[in-house]
């Protein structure tokens, strides 16, 4: 392995820049040439590839977004797209790639690996929904951003004796919503992984708590559940408490990465390059039981990641 490339793919996440920096600097330290692919698999297909040196990644560790840009590329899901990407790798002398992204991006990395370009996936998504790892780069920052926003909503709810129904991102997964809900002391947390009865688990609960003297409430709803306007209207109708719906949206994807995300990104990026440098590909970097490791990409993609129901029950028990 002489030349490696790095790309970011799928939704951006705070800390992706720190991961790019880690890959570039680790690669150079290990005597490898490093290239940057812009706009994920779309840039790989088009040959939008630049040379990277230690200075190309200066002053990015503290920045949100991704200096290499990112994209969703439907063409890459076709064999023709993968073939074009492989031809591009050959034309640019790329022997291996570090793919920073979510599990969709890892599926792409698997296809490239199958085509003879060894890839290592680094988990980067605010959703923390990758089965093979307990942590994904961006999760901590996104959660802190969501928390800051919910804390602000709570202030205005308190002033008006209102209920705030807040939608938190996470695609089909409820991890971001669950932990944001715990951290902000939500009265109810609705996630796609746990069935709920709006009347019993939310409306009746709020009414019972209201009877004990509490006047303002926060309900956190995962994007995968959705319908916050309707939920707010039903809470207002059922409890008599004025309710407002807020969708936090893409604000959760931006901003200065937290210390945790910078450190995780640095460790994971370094680990990915160490693998490629030993000629090992077709792996994904993992964080399991507080240790950075790696796993076969096929195995990783076939795993399931259940939501921690004990954690959910704990949150429910305390929101009384
Ligand atoms: P994420 O990586 O954050 O999960 P996406 O699911 O949007 O984001 O995937 C990012 C990109 O990865 C897609 O636009 C596509 O180019 C590639 N990709 C996604 N799923 C597959 C798949 N099943 N096979 C091959 N490539 C895929
Ligand atoms: O995967 C990250 C994420 O922000 C999800 O939480 C959300 O469902 C999706 O991406 C939004 O995608 P887009 O940026 O294309 O609107």
């Amino acid at each position: 392995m002489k030349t490696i490339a790095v790309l970011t793919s799928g939704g951006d996440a705070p800390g992706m820049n720190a991961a790019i920096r880690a890959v570039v600097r680790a690669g150079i330290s290990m005597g490898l040439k490093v290239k940057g692919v812009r706009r994920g698999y779309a840039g790989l297909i088009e040959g939008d590839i630049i040379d990277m040196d230690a200075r190309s990644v200066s002053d990015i560790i503290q920045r949100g977004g991704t200096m290499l840009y990112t994209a969703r590329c439907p063409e890459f899901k076709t064999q023709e797209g993968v073939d074009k990407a492989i031809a591009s790798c050959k034309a640019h002398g790329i022997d291996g790639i570090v793919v920073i992204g979510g599990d969709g991006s890892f599926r792409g990395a698997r296809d490239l690996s199958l085509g003879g370009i060894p890839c290592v996936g680094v988990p980067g998504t605010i959703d923390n929904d990758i089965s093979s790892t307990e942590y994904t780069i961006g999760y901590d920052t996104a959660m802190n951003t969501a928390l800051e926003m919910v804390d602000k909503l709570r202030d205005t709810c308190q002033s008006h004796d209102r209920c705030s129904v807040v939608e938190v991102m996470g695609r089909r997964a409820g991890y971001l919503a669950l932990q944001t809900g715990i951290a902000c002391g939500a009265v109810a947390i609705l996630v796609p992984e746990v069935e709920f009865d709006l009347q019993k688990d939310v409306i009746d609960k709020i009414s019972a708590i209201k009877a004990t003297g509490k006047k303002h409430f926060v309900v956190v709803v995962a994007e995968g559940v959705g319908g916050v306007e309707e939920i707010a209207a039903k809470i207002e109708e059922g409890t008599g408490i004025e309710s407002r719906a807020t969708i936090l949206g893409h604000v959760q994807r931006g901003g200065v990465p937290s210390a945790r995300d910078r450190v995780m990104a640095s460790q994971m990026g370094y680990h990915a390059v160490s693998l490629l440098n030993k000629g090992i590909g077709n792996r994904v970097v993992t964080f399991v039981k507080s240790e950075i490791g790696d796993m076969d990409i096929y195995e990783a993609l076939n795993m399931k990641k259940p939501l921690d129901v004990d954690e959910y029950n704990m949150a429910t028990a305390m929101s009384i």
Side-chain angles (χ1 to χ4, degrees):
M1 185 95 36
K2 289 199 176 83
T3 303
I4 62 166
V6 55
L7 62 83
T8 47
S9 166
D12 63 350
M16 278 187 165
N17 273 327
I20 295 168
R21 171 184 178 273
V23 171
V24 171
R25 298 259 173 101
I28 292 167
S29 297
M30 292 175 206
L32 299 168
K33 271 195 184 163
V34 188
K35 297 190 180 231
V37 181
R38 290 196 285 216
R39 294 188 177 77
Y41 295 125
L44 194 60
I45 287 173
E46 291 157 17
D48 188 0
I49 296 166
I50 52 173
D51 291 331
M52 306 289 277
D53 61 31
R55 295 286 71 75
S56 0
V57 290
S58 288
D59 203 28
I60 63 165
I61 196 168
Q62 79 284 18
R63 294 187 199 282
T66 158
M67 65 159 300
L68 288 176
Y69 309 95
T70 184
R72 294 205 165 93
C73 174
E75 189 186 356
F76 192 73
K77 290 189 184 177
T78 65
Q79 191 54 49
E80 205 190 345
V82 175
D83 290 344
K84 281 190 199 165
I86 291 169
S88 210
C89 290
K90 295 205 167 128
H92 286 83
I94 294 168
D95 304 313
I97 304 185
V98 177
V99 171
I100 305 165
D103 56 3
S105 303
F106 288 180
R107 287 181 209 286
R110 172 205 57 198
D111 294 349
L112 271 180
S113 297
L114 265 178
I117 309 291
C119 291
V120 177
V122 169
T125 163
I126 65 161
D127 303 334
N128 200 20
D129 61 347
I130 301 181
S131 310
S132 49
T133 182
E134 288 166 12
Y135 193 78
T136 62
I137 297 163
Y139 181 58
D140 184 62
T141 308
M143 194 157 39
N144 279 295
T145 302
L147 190 57
E148 195 188 331
M149 299 298 135
V150 178
D151 284 346
K152 289 181 201 292
L153 289 169
R154 183 195 268 273
D155 287 347
T156 165
C157 273
Q158 188 267 332
S159 310
H160 289 265
D161 290 343
R162 278 180 177 160
C163 173
S164 194
V165 182
V166 194
E167 182 186 297
V168 170
M169 270 188 171
R171 203 178 281 194
R172 286 175 293 275
Y175 312 103
L176 189 59
L178 174 57
Q179 293 209 333
T180 302
I182 291 172
C184 76
V187 68
I189 306 169
L190 306 181
V191 292
E193 295 89 343
V194 181
E195 262 188 57
F196 64 90
D197 176 332
L198 190 66
Q199 183 62 46
K200 184 165 101 19
D201 300 324
V202 183
I203 297 172
D204 293 350
K205 187 176 187 187
I206 291 178
S207 297
I209 299 174
K210 185 184 166 193
T212 69
K214 189 171 165 70
K215 293 192 170 67
H216 62 278
F217 301 85
V218 172
V219 175
V220 170
V221 180
E223 176 187 18
V225 171
V228 279
E229 290 284 354
E230 202 187 334
I231 293 172
K234 286 191 173 151
I235 290 173
E236 184 162 319
E237 194 189 312
T239 64
I241 298 167
E242 209 181 358
S243 301
R244 294 284 186 273
T246 306
I247 297 175
L248 295 183
H250 287 81
V251 68
Q252 296 159 99
R253 287 245 296 268
V256 170
S258 67
R260 178 161 204 219
D261 278 325
R262 296 185 206 188
V263 173
M264 292 296 292
S266 302
Q267 292 176 322
M268 287 180 162
Y270 185 90
H271 190 85
V273 178
S274 307
L275 290 172
L276 284 180
N277 191 40
K278 284 184 235 151
I280 303 169
N282 317 332
R283 309 285 292 178
V284 291
V285 177
T286 59
F287 183 73
V288 177
K289 297 197 171 117
S290 298
E291 273 189 29
I292 303 283
D294 52 90
M295 181 184 282
D296 179 81
I297 202 161
Y298 300 93
E299 199 186 323
L301 287 171
N302 285 324
M303 286 174 76
K304 292 262 175 296
K305 182 175 182 175
L307 190 95
D308 187 340
V309 177
D310 289 343
E311 196 177 357
Y312 187 88
N313 291 339
M314 174 209 72
T316 307
M318 286 191 297
S319 53
I320 50 171

